[in-house]
Amino acid sequence: DGGITQSPKYLFRKEGQNVTLSCEQNLNHDAMYWYRQDPGQGLRLIYYSQIVNDFQKGDIAEGYSVSREKKESFPLTVTSAQKNPTAFYLCASSPQRYGTQYFGPGTRLLVL
Amino acid sequence: QKEVEQNSGPLSVPEGAIASLNCTYSDRGSQSFFWYRQYSGKSPELIMSIYSNGDKEDGRFTAQLNKASQYVSLLIRDSQPSDSATYLCAGQMKTSYDKVIFGPGTSLSVIP
């Protein structure tokens, strides 16, 4: 089946800990995106990548890091510098730079 | 002024009625627009995209774009309780051409 997968579905972070959220797609899409959604809020862009080995900061990149070593994968690390990480994290991909985005199922991050 | 604006709602319509969801955007040069549906606790799913002035129909859904008025709308005919969700409007702005800007979403409730 073609699609976008995110894991884990739920993730718990302890104080001072870095955690990594996985995003994989087998759609052969060039572009990938990470968004954060807080309760009752819209989507805010964290990072995006239009091509392998290249990525750009979005509107709220502080406290997050990404890599794009393979076309299929775009993991997001939530670092200890992100003081309010509790949110719903959504990964999306797009066939080309300016095209329609398709979303994965999301990861819900909670702080212990 | 926010780049993409929507009434947060909630919008309530009776079953079988037409639901009308509206969206305005600030960048006159924007090219592409998207409507997503998001059920509570789930990720957004694409309903349709629209690129040209006028109407675009897909089943019970009609998207309308008026670039002169900087206005996008989504009509849902014969609304069903299963249409109850948050609807996200998104646009590819000329000023940030490699990103899609999402509105805050409108919550729709279809009353049986």
Side-chain angles (χ1 to χ4, degrees):
Chain A
D1 286 338
I4 305 169
T5 58
Q6 291 186 242
S7 62
K9 186 174 181 179
Y10 296 95
L11 185 58
F12 298 91
R13 194 190 89 163
K14 295 180 180 178
E15 193 77 30
Q17 185 182 39
N18 292 353
V19 293
T20 297
L21 285 62
S22 170
C23 178
E24 304 276 336
Q25 54 97 1
N26 61 4
L27 301 168
N28 199 33
H29 285 178
D30 287 326
M32 297 186 74
Y33 307 81
W34 274 106
Y35 293 91
R36 169 179 172 146
Q37 188 175 40
D38 294 281
Q41 303 295 314
L43 302 179
R44 292 187 290 169
L45 182 63
I46 304 173
Y47 269 99
Y48 61 105
S49 169
Q50 306 286 6
I51 195 170
V52 175
N53 292 323
D54 189 38
F55 50 82
Q56 286 77 41
K57 293 181 179 180
D59 301 317
I60 56 164
E62 185 174 351
Y64 300 97
S65 66
V66 294
S67 63
R68 185 88 186 275
E69 297 176 0
K70 298 185 300 181
K71 187 175 185 178
E72 304 79 21
S73 179
F74 191 40
L76 173 74
T77 297
V78 183
T79 74
S80 57
Q82 174 50 246
K83 297 305 180 187
N84 185 24
T86 297
F88 189 37
Y89 289 86
L90 291 158
C91 178
S93 71
S94 173
Q96 62 274 340
R97 287 183 76 163
Y98 314 121
T100 305
Q101 294 184 19
Y102 301 90
F103 287 85
T107 292
R108 201 165 295 277
L109 177 60
L110 301 168
V111 176
L112 294 176
Chain B
Q1 181 185 8
K2 293 184 179 178
E3 292 177 277
V4 178
E5 297 199 64
Q6 300 178 253
N7 291 328
S8 60
L11 174 66
S12 293
V13 300
E15 183 175 355
I18 296 175
S20 178
L21 302 159
N22 304 315
C23 173
T24 58
Y25 59 94
S26 60
D27 185 351
R28 184 173 291 276
S30 300
Q31 301 296 314
S32 308
F33 298 90
F34 312 93
W35 282 101
Y36 290 84
R37 176 176 62 197
Q38 186 176 24
Y39 292 113
S40 181
K42 302 295 184 182
S43 64
E45 54 182 325
L46 180 71
I47 298 174
M48 72 168 60
S49 55
I50 186 166
Y51 307 102
S52 304
N53 276 328
D55 295 358
K56 181 179 179 181
E57 187 174 319
D58 184 359
R60 295 187 295 112
F61 298 95
T62 299
Q64 300 173 318
L65 174 58
N66 184 326
K67 291 189 177 182
S69 300
Q70 296 173 232
Y71 177 92
V72 191
S73 66
L74 180 70
L75 301 178
I76 307 174
R77 292 182 299 281
D78 188 23
S79 295
Q80 300 298 309
S82 59
D83 294 325
S84 297
T86 296
Y87 289 80
L88 303 175
C89 172
Q92 201 136 35
M93 304 291 118
K94 186 178 181 182
T95 51
S96 54
Y97 59 92
D98 56 348
K99 295 186 290 185
V100 171
I101 308 298
F102 285 83
T106 298
S107 175
L108 172 66
S109 180
V110 180
I111 311 301

